[in-house]
């Protein structure tokens, strides 16, 4: 079967429940958020371990805080990873499905690798709190290595997906099918590094934000905070520069026929990346003042780069005449409205929870939310109840219509 | 709970969805409400078991007694109501699923669910009467019993979906058995029976697209991969391995294997064989070769 026909036959015959553009935007947006926390998770775990080994007093002091932040970053990364995983299955199902089957053992192994990594990270953090025995650092180091391995798996799955012309040769030896799923078939070093190196740049910005967040807390050591902010700013600048170099290496290693250099998505991403580099250069003077702007700039860059990655995928798969915009559409308003309504409501409720967490961390001593925030809290509860009433009411009405006497 | 129940309900019974294509018609099918209430009440029982385990660590005897008593009342009420609602749920299941409960669900799973519910009721009652006698280890064992019950019941629920992924639509091997007119989806079975499964499926190498004299067994093996491997492991280990099933059903030669494949048309828990007559023969030859 020709590659094009093979891909077509793997699509969902039912089509998409809404126009592909919506899925694409949400996929890229949630991927950008996901990869941000993947980078925070990798960076904070690595630096927590590094800080333990390094004799420097600033690092020794920072290490426990990073070890505490790391598991939270990992759980955010996992939580935010679900959404892009589901969206990619909606619009790129033939590719994601095939790539997963080709390396099925690694896909299942990924779950256990993440569980092992997460547990070791917790052992490292909890034991580290109790005393300063060096042996426990090994758990932190093991977590970092396992996270990198998880990254290798996800990278391979995402990269195998782009090469449907090779699937059959990976899967068949003569006329015998290899159904073991034990191999990872494709790896591209610059592409992999481009997802990993930003960990240190973004964790640098994370440290700048840390210094900014606690700047008004008089019970915290101002000198240490200033050191943290300055170290973060230095790291952020250096590794963003390094990241740009790797980006060009990747760009040069792409198939020339894709002509990615002239893609407007790439140009936007690269332009923002250079802007971020200049911003971080300026931030060296006053990391705390530039922290929020740097964080915002970094997220814009990641979002644009994530869209560039999607545009690259579109040109890779365009070689086979595949476009998500040709996908059969069977618009299903009820499920789409349920999804969007729930999504918007959740944003508001999560916004409330985040605001409470944000304010309470900044307060010295016991924290009391203001009246406006209290009203938002009450609104959150009312919304949740209203959601249940509306959905259950809909259910009752539909059940009566379909099964009523 | 409101959302996940709709998804789980759809997996066993799609309601009027195959006719209307309406999302909520599938979501709020006839098994939705009993299942929603059953899962909700059982949730309280599960929470009760956990709360007791946590409470055994409390230092103050008065608080411990109070918490364990309260948790056990939620526990016993949740379990009993859940069991009662289970019978309502059972009554709403489609006829095909009922037949599978009788024919396919092993006694051990039924016993597992009944035993877990019975033991938990006794445990909660005992905890309500003598709260301070519950220690940490028995409380953790009770949680294991909870998991045993959940495992038995959910495993049985997965079994009664057979032979479909989505009942009245897609078989477990992802071949579309019936059309969904409102979505413009046609059944694949007639097309495959005419053109052949090897020509229809992706990933089939060129030399196996057609059954020839020289490739019968290999083509048969490929057909088996496409149509059977969703449920049957191809090696010697794993779930329901092919070789073991062939020996158990005594498919000693290609004729008896072919007879078995033809009989699948009326078999409750496996999808029918789809493909041309030559392909059926090839698969039969392959299956018979596993008998040795």
């Amino acid at each position: 079967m020709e590659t094009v026909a093979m891909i077509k036959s793997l699509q969902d015959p039912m089509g998409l429940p809404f126009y592909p553009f919506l899925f694409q935007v949400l996929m890229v947006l949630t991927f950008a958020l996901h990869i941000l926390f993947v980078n925070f998770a990798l960076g904070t775990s690595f630096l927590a371990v590094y800080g333990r080994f390094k004799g420097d007093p600033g690092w020794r002091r920072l290490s426990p805080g990073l070890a505490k932040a790391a598991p939270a970053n990992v759980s955010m990364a996992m939580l935010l990873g679900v959404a892009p995983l589901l969206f990619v299955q909606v619009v790129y199902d033939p590719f994601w499905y095939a790539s997963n089957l080709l390396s099925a053992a690694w896909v299942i192994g990924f779950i256990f690798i993440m569980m092992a990594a997460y547990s070791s990270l917790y052992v490292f953090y909890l034991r580290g709190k109790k005393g300063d025995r060096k042996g426990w650092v090994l758990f932190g180091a093991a977590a970092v290595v396992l996270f990198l391995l998880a990254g290798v798996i996800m990278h391979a799955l995402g990269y195998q997906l782009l090469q449907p012309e090779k699937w059959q040769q990976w899967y068949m030896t003569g006329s015998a099918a290899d159904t073991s799923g034990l191999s990872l078939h494709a790896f591209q070093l610059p592409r992999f590094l481009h997802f990993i190196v930003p960990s240190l740049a973004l964790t640098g910005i994370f440290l700048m934000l840390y210094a900014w967040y606690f700047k008004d807390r008089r019970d915290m050591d101002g000198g240490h905070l200033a050191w943290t902010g300055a170290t973060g700013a230095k790291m952020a600048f250096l590794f963003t520069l390094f990241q740009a170099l790797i980006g060009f290496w990747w760009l040069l290693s792409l198939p020339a026929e894709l002509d990615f250099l002239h893609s407007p998505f790439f140009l936007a991403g690269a332009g923002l990346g250079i802007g971020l580099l200049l911003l971080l250069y300026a931030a060296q003077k006053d990391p705390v003042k530039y922290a929020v702007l740097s964080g915002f700039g970094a997220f814009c860059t990641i979002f644009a780069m994530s869209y560039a990655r999607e545009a690259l995928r579109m040109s890779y798969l365009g070689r086979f005449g595949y476009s998500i915009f040709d996908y059969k559409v069977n618009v299903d308003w009820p499920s789409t409205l349920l999804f969007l309504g729930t999504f918007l409501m959740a944003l508001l409720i999560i916004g409330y929870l985040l605001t409470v967490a944000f304010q309470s961390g900044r307060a010295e001593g016991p924290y009391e939310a203001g009246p406006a925030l209290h009203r938002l809290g009450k609104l959150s509860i009312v919304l949740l109840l209203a959601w249940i009433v509306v959905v259950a009411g809909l259910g009752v009405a539909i059940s009566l219509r379909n099964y009523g006497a | 709970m409101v959302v996940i129940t709709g998804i789980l309900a759809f997996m066993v019974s799609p309601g009027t969805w195959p006719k209307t294509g309406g999302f909520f018609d599938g979501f709020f099918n006839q098994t939705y409400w009993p299942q929603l209430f059953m899962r909700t009440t059982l949730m309280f029982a599960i929470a009760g078991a956990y709360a007791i385990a946590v409470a055994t660590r409390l230092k103050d005897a008065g608080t411990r007694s109070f918490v364990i008593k309260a948790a056990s009342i939620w526990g016993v009420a949740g379990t009993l109501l859940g069991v009662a609602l289970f019978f309502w749920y059972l009554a709403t299941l489609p006829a095909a699923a009922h037949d599978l409960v009788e024919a396919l669900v092993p006694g051990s799973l039924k016993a597992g669910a009944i035993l877990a519910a019975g033991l938990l009721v006794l445990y909660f009652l005992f905890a309500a009467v003598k709260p301070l006698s519950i220690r940490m280890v028995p409380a953790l064992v009770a949680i294991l019993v909870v998991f045993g019950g959940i495992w038995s019941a959910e495993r049985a629920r997965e079994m009664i979906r057979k032979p479909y992924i989505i009942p009245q639509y897609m078989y477990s091997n992802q071949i579309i058995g019936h059309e969904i007119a409102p979505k413009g989806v046609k059944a694949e079975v007639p097309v495959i029976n005419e053109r052949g499964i090897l020509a229809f499926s992706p990933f089939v190498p060129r030399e196996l697209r057609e059954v020839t004299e020289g490739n019968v067994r290999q083509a048969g093996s490929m057909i088996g991969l496409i149509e059977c491997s969703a449920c049957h492991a191809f090696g010697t280990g794993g779930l329901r391995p092919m070789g073991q099933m062939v020996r158990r059903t005594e498919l000693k030669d290609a004729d008896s294997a072919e007879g078995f494949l033809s009989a699948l048309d009326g078999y409750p828990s496996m999808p029918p064989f789809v493909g041309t007559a030559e392909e059926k023969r090839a698969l039969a030859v392959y299956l018979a070769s596993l008998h040795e």
Side-chain angles (χ1 to χ4, degrees):
Chain A
M1 196 179 281
E2 293 312 312
T3 307
V4 178
M6 174 176 84
I7 294 165
K8 276 276 170 218
S9 74
L10 285 168
Q11 281 188 317
D12 183 357
M14 207 154 282
L16 305 178
F18 203 71
Y19 301 100
F21 180 70
L22 176 76
F23 296 110
Q24 188 184 49
V25 171
L26 289 173
M27 175 176 69
V28 173
L29 178 68
T30 52
F31 176 80
L33 287 165
H34 164 66
I35 201 73
L36 175 70
F37 278 94
V38 165
N39 282 314
F40 281 160
L42 256 175
T44 46
S45 322
F46 173 77
L47 289 175
V49 174
Y50 171 83
R52 277 296 190 81
F53 278 122
K54 186 120 165 124
D56 181 291
W59 277 111
R60 288 193 74 79
R61 217 171 138 185
L62 192 58
S63 172
L66 290 172
K68 190 177 179 181
N73 283 328
V74 175
S75 51
M76 282 301 285
M78 287 195 281
L79 186 70
L80 288 164
V82 177
L85 185 70
L86 294 178
F87 286 126
V88 83
Q89 286 171 41
V90 173
V91 285
Y92 288 110
D93 49 342
F95 307 93
W96 181 252
Y97 179 75
S99 183
N100 273 251
L101 282 187
L102 285 165
S103 307
W106 292 93
V107 176
I108 304 295
F110 179 85
I111 300 165
F112 293 99
I113 289 167
M114 284 305 291
M115 282 163 67
Y118 201 25
S119 314
S120 331
L121 194 61
Y122 257 108
V123 172
F124 170 64
Y125 157 56
L126 292 172
R127 282 285 143 178
K129 268 204 320 195
K130 285 192 175 168
D132 204 27
R133 278 168 297 176
K134 276 260 184 331
W136 297 109
V137 181
L138 286 178
F139 279 91
V144 174
V145 172
L146 288 169
F147 284 140
L148 285 173
L149 180 59
V152 168
I153 296 173
M154 275 298 144
H155 162 77
L157 293 176
Y159 191 48
Q160 287 170 190
L161 171 162
L162 299 175
Q163 302 166 76
E165 74 275 19
K166 293 188 184 152
W167 293 346
Q168 198 147 307
Q169 78 191 46
W170 288 336
Y171 167 64
M172 300 296 303
T173 325
S175 55
D178 172 18
T179 56
S180 70
L182 284 173
S183 310
L184 292 175
H185 302 276
F187 186 82
Q188 193 189 24
L189 188 62
R191 184 182 167 109
F192 174 70
L193 288 177
H194 206 60
F195 288 95
I196 299 300
V197 166
S199 299
L200 291 171
L202 287 166
T203 307
I205 294 176
F206 187 85
L207 295 181
M208 290 163 71
L209 286 165
Y210 178 89
W212 164 80
Y213 181 69
F214 288 120
K215 70 180 159 58
D216 295 328
R217 283 263 300 257
R218 275 161 306 165
D219 53 342
M220 309 253 309
D221 178 352
H224 179 64
L225 281 179
W227 175 86
T228 305
T231 308
K234 212 187 307 167
M235 249 171 58
F237 176 74
L238 283 177
F239 282 96
T240 303
L241 187 64
F242 189 40
Q243 167 74 345
L245 297 176
I246 289 172
F248 282 107
W249 177 21
W250 180 15
L251 184 69
L252 293 174
S253 70
L254 288 175
E257 56 176 318
L258 299 181
D259 193 27
F260 194 56
L261 180 62
H262 295 106
S263 155
F265 291 98
F266 164 73
L267 292 173
L272 279 166
I274 291 166
L276 178 66
L277 198 58
L278 295 174
L279 181 65
L280 289 171
Y281 182 75
Q284 303 301 315
K285 290 185 306 253
D286 191 349
V288 167
K289 192 178 126 198
Y290 280 90
V292 174
L293 191 60
S294 302
F296 178 71
F299 185 73
C300 290
T301 310
I302 292 175
F303 181 67
M305 279 295 184
S306 300
Y307 237 109
R309 167 178 174 265
E310 171 61 8
L312 182 63
R313 175 155 53 195
M314 288 168 74
S315 20
Y316 261 107
L317 301 180
R319 295 177 302 155
F320 306 98
Y322 186 88
S323 164
I324 60 168
F325 298 105
D326 300 335
Y327 216 120
K328 172 181 165 185
V329 175
N330 250 325
V331 176
D332 188 274
W333 281 106
S335 63
T336 304
L337 289 176
L338 175 70
F339 166 72
L340 286 179
T342 310
F343 182 66
L344 291 177
M345 182 187 79
L347 282 186
L348 192 112
I349 295 170
I350 292 168
Y352 164 71
L353 295 173
L354 285 179
T355 313
V356 171
F358 180 86
Q359 292 187 351
S360 65
R362 270 200 156 176
E364 288 164 37
Y367 161 74
E368 184 66 46
L373 200 55
H374 266 308
R375 273 197 296 279
L376 189 60
K378 277 190 187 130
L379 180 66
S380 299
I381 293 169
V382 169
L383 274 175
L384 277 173
L385 290 174
W387 185 92
I388 289 183
V389 169
V390 168
V391 176
L394 197 67
V396 170
I398 284 168
S399 297
L400 284 177
R401 193 193 66 196
N402 286 345
Y403 307 106
Chain B
M1 189 67 85
V2 170
V3 172
I4 195 66
T5 300
I7 296 167
L8 293 172
F10 179 74
M11 279 160 43
V12 178
S13 155
T16 58
W17 173 81
K19 278 193 219 77
T20 65
F23 170 80
F24 284 117
D25 287 334
F27 195 90
F28 292 116
N29 65 67
Q30 79 282 6
T31 69
Y32 180 82
W33 296 105
Q35 199 172 170
L36 177 70
F37 295 133
M38 175 181 75
R39 287 183 183 278
T40 307
T41 51
L42 289 175
M43 173 191 81
F44 287 120
I46 297 168
Y50 270 90
I52 293 176
V54 174
T56 56
R57 305 277 290 167
L58 292 173
K59 295 238 159 45
D60 179 62
T63 320
R64 191 163 81 233
S65 162
F66 173 80
V67 174
I68 292 182
K69 223 173 207 164
S72 56
I73 289 167
W74 282 96
V76 74
T79 315
L80 289 176
L81 267 173
V83 169
L85 288 162
F86 173 77
F87 286 100
W88 180 22
Y89 170 62
L90 215 50
T92 59
L93 280 179
H98 261 292
D99 295 345
L100 288 174
V101 173
E102 297 301 322
L104 207 63
V105 178
S108 55
L109 288 184
K110 291 177 189 166
I114 295 168
L115 202 66
L119 281 175
L120 284 172
V121 169
L122 292 178
Y123 167 73
F124 285 131
L125 283 176
F126 183 76
V129 178
K130 291 188 138 189
L132 291 179
S133 65
I134 306 282
R135 301 263 169 244
M136 173 109 151
V137 174
L140 290 179
V141 172
I143 290 177
L144 286 181
V145 172
V146 168
F147 274 110
I150 295 175
W151 193 83
S152 306
E154 298 291 353
R155 183 88 186 84
R157 184 183 53 74
E158 282 294 330
M159 289 185 128
I160 61 175
R161 291 170 69 190
K162 289 180 184 183
Y164 293 102
I165 291 177
I166 303 170
Q168 313 312 318
Y169 169 49
M170 185 185 275
Y171 289 121
S172 46
N173 51 21
Q174 300 199 23
I175 290 169
I176 295 173
H178 313 279
E179 68 159 6
I180 302 293
K183 298 277 186 191
V185 182
K186 294 200 172 62
E188 287 173 343
V189 174
V191 185
I192 299 176
N193 282 339
E194 199 194 311
R195 279 178 48 206
I197 186 75
L198 292 172
F200 182 85
S201 302
F203 301 120
V204 177
R206 202 170 294 276
E207 59 274 22
L208 294 182
R209 294 279 165 76
E210 241 177 291
V211 182
T212 61
E213 271 185 29
N215 72 5
V216 176
R217 193 179 174 279
Q218 278 174 328
S221 157
M222 183 50 89
I223 296 166
L225 262 184
I226 297 166
E227 295 201 18
C228 319
S229 70
C231 304
H232 296 284
F234 255 53
T236 44
L239 271 180
R240 314 176 196 92
M242 291 277 260
Q244 193 187 317
M245 304 313 269
V246 164
R247 281 188 293 277
R248 191 188 294 170
T249 35
E250 300 197 354
L251 306 180
K252 286 187 185 121
D253 49 47
D255 285 339
S256 58
E258 196 173 338
F260 177 81
L261 292 174
S262 300
L264 286 181
D265 287 350
Y267 203 82
S269 59
M270 279 166 77
F273 173 83
V274 290
T276 61
E278 295 79 48
E279 287 175 335
K280 190 188 275 185
R281 187 72 194 173
L283 178 56
V285 167
Y286 169 72
L287 289 179
S289 76
L290 296 177
H291 192 271
E292 282 100 64

